[in-house]
Amino acid sequence: MPKPTIRSAQLISPFGVGSLCEIDGQSFFVRGTGSWAKGYNLEKVEVGSLTNWLRPRQLRKPTESVAILRFPHWHFCPECRKMTRWTQDKDRENIRDDGSLPRPACDGGKCKNARLVPMRFVAACDNGHIDEIDWYWWAHRAHEPAQHGACSRQTSRLHFEVTGKSGGDFSSMVIRCSCGSSGNLEGIADGPLPQKCRGHQPGEQSSTCVDPENKQNPGAPKPLYMEPRGSSSLHYASVISALDIDGSTEKNIWEKLRADAIYQNTLQMATMLVGLQGGDTSLTIQTSRPSLEARADEVGISIEDALACFEADLGANPVEAAPPPPANEISQQSILDQEFPVLTNPKGQNSRWLIARPEKPSARFGLDKLFERFVRVERLREVRAFRGFQRRNVSEKHAMISPSLGRQQPDWLPAMMVLGEGVFLEFSNSAIADWREQNKEQIEEFTQSHLVGAEALGLPGRMGFNANPTFIMVHSFAHLLLNQLSFDCGYSSTSLRERIYCGTDSEPYAGLLIYTADSDAEGSMGGLSEMGAPERLEDVIYRAVSRSQWCSGDPVCRELDAQGVDGLNRAACHACSLVAETSCTFSNVLLDRVLVSGDGRKNGRGTLEPVGYFSKVLEV
C-alpha cells in the first residue's frame, strides 16, 4: 500500500499522539513527538493568544510525516481464523521496493493471501498506557497444562473463532490454542483484566505504572481494562484552540505598544520628567507626542490608542509586566475571554485573518429580544495545539499524558493552523438574566446535579468552560443549530464545529460561534457565512428550536434525569442533540434541550419543566 496518510487537521484530534487510527483496514499507533522527524518537517506556527503564553516553548506543524507503528500486533485471518503476531520486524522484512508498507496477509495455502485483520480489543489503564491483551491466557484460563500436553507461548498457535451463538456476544468469541485448550471472552469487559500494566506505549520505552489508590499493596501497577480498538474512550485529546484575532482588543493593542523598546525608553524618560515636575503629566505628554506618533505608526495602532496607553502608564507609574504563566497553566477560558470582545465589536473586524460583519437581528420570532447581534464571519484562522491525552475518562483522577509519551519533553507542542468561516451569535445578557430569574427553581433542579458532577470530574478546567445553567442552554442550542445548519448550507455535520463563549454568574456574557475550519477547500466555500444574514439565520433558528420540541426517543429521552457520558446529560440523545465528536469540544456532555424549548409544564413523571429560553420564538 502507499504510505499511510490522514488529513493534517486530524493529527490534533481525533488522531493525535497516543491514538489508534485505522487506515485501509490497518491499525496504527501515533508515536510520541520525540520520534517525529525534525528539521524541515516541523514548521513554526504563531498566533498571539497562544504564542505569548507558551514561550519559551513553540508550536510546530508537521509538514511531511509523523512516526507511526502498527498496533495491535495481533491479527487474525478472516478465512482460517489463525492469529498472527505481525511485528515491526515483519514490516521491515516485507517492505516493498518503493518503500511502502506491506499489507499483512495470511500465509495459509488455502487462504490465498487473505488480508489479516487487527484484533478488535486492546488493554488500557487509567494512567494512559496501552498494551496487547494476553490472548494466550484467555485460551488457557480454564485448563490445566496436563490436560492437553506441553504448551508454551513461543510454540503455541492461536485461533480467533466466532461460534455465532448467544447473539454474537463475548461468550461466542473463542480463543483456541493448537494444544487443544480454548476459552471464550466472557467477562472480558466486566472489570480489570488478569494482567497488570507494565507502563507500555507502543514503540516507546516502558515506564513505571503505580496505582496510588491501592493502599493494601503500595507500589502495585494500575489494572488494565479491555477497550474496543475504535472506542472514543481510548483517547481523549486535550486540545487548546485560539482564533487569530489580530490583537484587536484594547488590552492587546496596548501590549503591542508596550513591547516596543523605543516606547519603553520614551516612557522611562517621561516618568523622570514627571517626577521633576511634581507629578504634572500634561507638559510631558505634549512633548512626547511626536515620538508617540512615530511609534504608533511603526507598531500599527492609532495615535489615540498610543496616547491612552501612555497616559495610563504615566499615571500608574508602571512596573515591569508579569511574566506569562507556564505552558501547563494555559486556560482555554482565558483565550475565549480575549476573543469575545473582538467578535462582539459593533464596528466589526477586517484584518488579515478575521473578517467579521455584524448585523442586528430583526423582530421576527422575537429574536431581537434574545440576541444582541448576528455576525457573519467571512474569514477566520484557528490554531489548535495538542497538549496531551487521557484514556478511559477525562476526570482529574486519570493521568494526562504529554505528547512526548514519557520521553524528555521537547520545547514545542504539535499544532495545526486551519482556515474557515462561520456565524457568530451574541446573546442578550438582560434576556438571559430574566429567563434565569423567572425559572430559578426549575432551572436549578434540572441542572444542579449535572453541574456538580462536571465539577467533581474537573471538566470545566480541562475543557475550558464556566459551569453554569447558561452554558448548558447555549451548548444545547449550539448542537441544535449545528445540525440545522448542516441541512441548510450544504456542509457535512462533521465539518462544522462549535465555539461557546460563556461568562461566570458574576460577570455574565454568552455567545456562540458555529464555524468550519479545516485544512482543505471545505473550510472556505462561503456557504456558512452567508447563512449569517438575519433574513436567513432567523429561519434556521426557528426550525432548529421547533425540531427540539420532539425527539423520536421521547418520552424516555425527555424525562430521564441523567443519560450520556457519566450521566451528565438530561434531554439529549443521538436522535435529537448529540453531534459528531469532531464537532463538539465538550465530549457531548452538559446538554438539555428542555432549557431551549421547554414549555413550563409537568412532564409524564410529574416534574415541572423550566420554560425554555427560546419558548417565545415558538409562540409567534
Side-chain angles (χ1 to χ4, degrees):
M1 65 175 290
K3 183 179 292 186
T5 59
I6 58 174
R7 295 168 67 176
S8 55
Q10 294 178 309
L11 191 58
I12 302 301
S13 177
F15 299 136
V17 169
S19 68
L20 296 182
C21 57
E22 184 166 321
I23 306 173
D24 192 31
Q26 302 182 71
S27 179
F28 297 95
F29 177 83
V30 181
R31 297 184 63 184
T33 51
S35 304
W36 292 11
K38 299 176 178 60
Y40 71 91
N41 182 55
L42 298 175
E43 177 182 316
K44 188 176 181 180
V45 177
E46 290 192 8
V47 61
S49 50
L50 280 180
T51 305
N52 293 336
W53 276 352
L54 281 168
R55 290 185 179 128
R57 300 175 73 184
Q58 298 176 340
L59 302 178
R60 297 280 183 177
K61 177 182 73 172
T63 59
E64 294 291 334
S65 63
V66 299
I68 61 172
L69 183 71
R70 196 184 299 280
F71 187 85
H73 296 307
W74 278 109
H75 292 63
F76 69 92
C77 174
E79 300 293 333
C80 68
R81 311 302 295 187
K82 184 178 74 172
M83 293 176 61
T84 301
R85 187 172 174 83
W86 194 278
T87 62
Q88 199 169 10
D89 291 336
K90 286 197 174 185
D91 273 335
R92 295 192 186 101
E93 293 171 4
N94 295 275
I95 197 167
R96 298 180 179 178
D97 294 338
D98 59 359
S100 60
L101 288 176
R103 290 186 176 94
C106 182
D107 56 4
K110 297 181 180 181
C111 297
K112 299 180 180 179
N113 291 322
R115 293 180 61 178
L116 298 180
V117 179
M119 287 298 288
R120 304 175 188 175
F121 313 111
V122 295
C125 82
D126 294 345
N127 280 347
H129 301 114
I130 187 172
D131 208 342
E132 302 269 6
I133 291 179
D134 187 353
W135 299 118
Y136 180 85
W137 183 91
W138 284 94
H140 297 81
R141 63 172 179 156
H143 298 273
E144 295 294 334
Q147 291 178 310
H148 296 281
C151 182
S152 68
R153 291 179 181 271
Q154 291 72 27
T155 61
S156 63
R157 289 172 294 170
L158 303 178
H159 287 73
F160 175 51
E161 301 175 355
V162 180
T163 64
K165 299 178 181 180
S166 305
D169 60 10
F170 288 119
S171 63
S172 68
M173 301 178 189
V174 177
I175 306 296
R176 191 177 304 278
C177 180
S178 56
C179 72
S181 63
S182 64
N184 63 33
L185 303 188
E186 186 174 6
I188 194 172
D190 295 343
L193 295 172
Q195 64 195 89
K196 297 298 183 180
C197 182
R198 55 190 179 124
H200 182 71
Q201 301 284 6
E204 308 291 338
Q205 292 183 350
S206 295
S207 59
T208 56
C209 182
V210 178
D211 185 2
E213 298 180 0
N214 191 337
K215 306 300 182 182
Q216 297 180 348
N217 187 12
K222 276 275 191 182
L224 286 168
Y225 296 85
M226 184 280 291
E227 289 289 342
R229 181 164 46 84
S231 170
S232 60
S233 63
L234 198 58
H235 187 269
Y236 290 106
S238 175
V239 178
I240 193 162
S241 159
L243 301 182
D244 196 337
I245 56 178
D246 208 27
S248 300
T249 64
E250 181 182 80
K251 179 181 178 181
N252 286 334
I253 288 173
W254 288 9
E255 291 304 322
K256 288 173 66 175
L257 183 63
R258 286 169 175 162
D260 184 76
I262 299 179
Y263 169 80
Q264 289 295 336
N265 291 335
T266 303
L267 179 62
Q268 186 177 4
M269 295 177 61
T271 303
M272 294 173 59
L273 288 175
V274 169
L276 294 174
Q277 295 167 3
D280 184 10
T281 62
S282 57
L283 181 60
T284 303
I285 292 174
Q286 183 178 353
T287 56
S288 302
R289 185 181 178 96
S291 176
L292 291 175
E293 288 179 347
R295 300 326 306 152
D297 183 65
E298 180 69 25
V299 173
I301 66 174
S302 67
I303 180 58
E304 291 77 12
D305 287 325
L307 285 171
C309 178
F310 189 69
E311 291 175 7
D313 288 347
L314 275 180
N317 192 19
V319 296
E320 184 177 352
N328 59 0
E329 295 181 10
I330 292 177
S331 166
Q332 180 68 64
Q333 186 59 50
S334 299
I335 292 175
L336 297 175
D337 289 341
Q338 290 185 49
E339 295 173 2
F340 186 76
V342 179
L343 293 171
T344 58
N345 187 342
K347 297 180 181 179
Q349 174 80 358
N350 191 356
S351 62
R352 181 183 180 188
W353 296 119
L354 183 62
I355 299 178
R357 306 191 188 281
E359 297 185 58
K360 281 286 186 179
S362 72
R364 291 181 67 207
F365 311 118
L367 293 177
D368 59 330
K369 295 181 175 61
L370 302 179
F371 294 100
E372 290 292 335
R373 60 181 52 84
F374 299 150
V375 182
R376 297 168 57 187
V377 183
E378 298 179 358
R379 180 192 298 166
L380 61 83
R381 176 179 181 259
E382 181 194 16
V383 171
R384 304 172 196 161
F386 181 84
R387 295 187 294 179
F389 67 92
Q390 293 171 287
R391 300 205 195 277
R392 304 192 67 246
N393 208 309
V394 291
S395 71
E396 292 182 337
K397 295 181 180 179
H398 291 225
M400 178 72 72
I401 306 300
S402 72
S404 64
L405 292 186
R407 295 192 184 190
Q408 183 178 359
Q409 185 71 15
D411 60 353
W412 57 273
L413 293 176
M416 186 56 56
M417 177 184 67
V418 290
L419 303 177
E421 52 167 328
V423 175
F424 177 78
L425 302 88
E426 180 186 1
F427 287 75
S428 168
N429 284 343
S430 59
I432 290 180
D434 292 343
W435 169 69
R436 290 187 56 175
E437 181 61 31
Q438 294 169 8
N439 297 267
K440 188 173 182 180
E441 292 183 7
Q442 289 77 23
I443 290 176
E444 183 173 345
E445 180 180 352
F446 267 63
T447 61
Q448 184 65 23
S449 62
H450 300 82
L451 294 173
V452 171
E455 292 280 5
L457 293 172
L459 300 187
R462 292 187 176 230
M463 292 183 174
F465 64 90
N466 292 313
N468 54 44
T470 301
F471 172 82
I472 297 180
M473 184 274 291
V474 176
H475 189 205
S476 303
F477 174 68
H479 282 216
L480 299 170
L481 184 62
L482 190 150
N483 283 329
Q484 191 63 46
L485 280 169
S486 70
F487 291 135
D488 293 344
C489 69
Y491 284 102
S492 64
S493 60
T494 55
S495 67
L496 299 181
R497 292 170 61 89
E498 66 180 7
R499 197 171 186 84
I500 295 175
Y501 302 84
C502 182
T504 61
D505 288 338
S506 59
E507 298 182 7
Y509 69 84
L512 165 63
L513 175 66
I514 301 293
Y515 66 107
T516 176
D518 222 325
S519 55
D520 59 15
E522 194 171 12
S524 56
M525 291 193 298
L528 184 56
S529 64
E530 286 298 315
M531 299 303 295
E535 63 273 11
R536 294 190 180 95
L537 189 55
E538 288 160 359
D539 288 329
V540 176
I541 292 173
Y542 177 81
R543 289 193 289 271
V545 173
S546 179
R547 292 180 62 185
S548 71
Q549 291 180 287
W550 180 253
C551 165
S552 61
D554 283 344
V556 176
C557 173
R558 190 181 188 92
E559 297 176 5
L560 283 176
D561 293 334
Q563 60 177 316
V565 179
D566 292 313
L568 294 180
N569 291 336
R570 199 162 179 131
C573 70
H574 284 285
C576 60
S577 304
L578 303 189
V579 297
E581 296 172 10
T582 53
S583 300
C584 179
T585 53
F586 306 106
S587 298
N588 275 313
V589 298
L590 295 179
L591 297 166
D592 185 0
R593 58 189 167 88
V594 172
L595 298 182
V596 175
S597 59
D599 54 15
R601 302 176 185 176
K602 286 186 178 181
N603 60 26
R605 302 179 67 181
T607 303
L608 186 63
E609 295 180 347
V611 175
Y613 181 75
F614 291 91
S615 60
K616 293 183 179 179
V617 171
L618 302 172
E619 298 174 359
V620 179

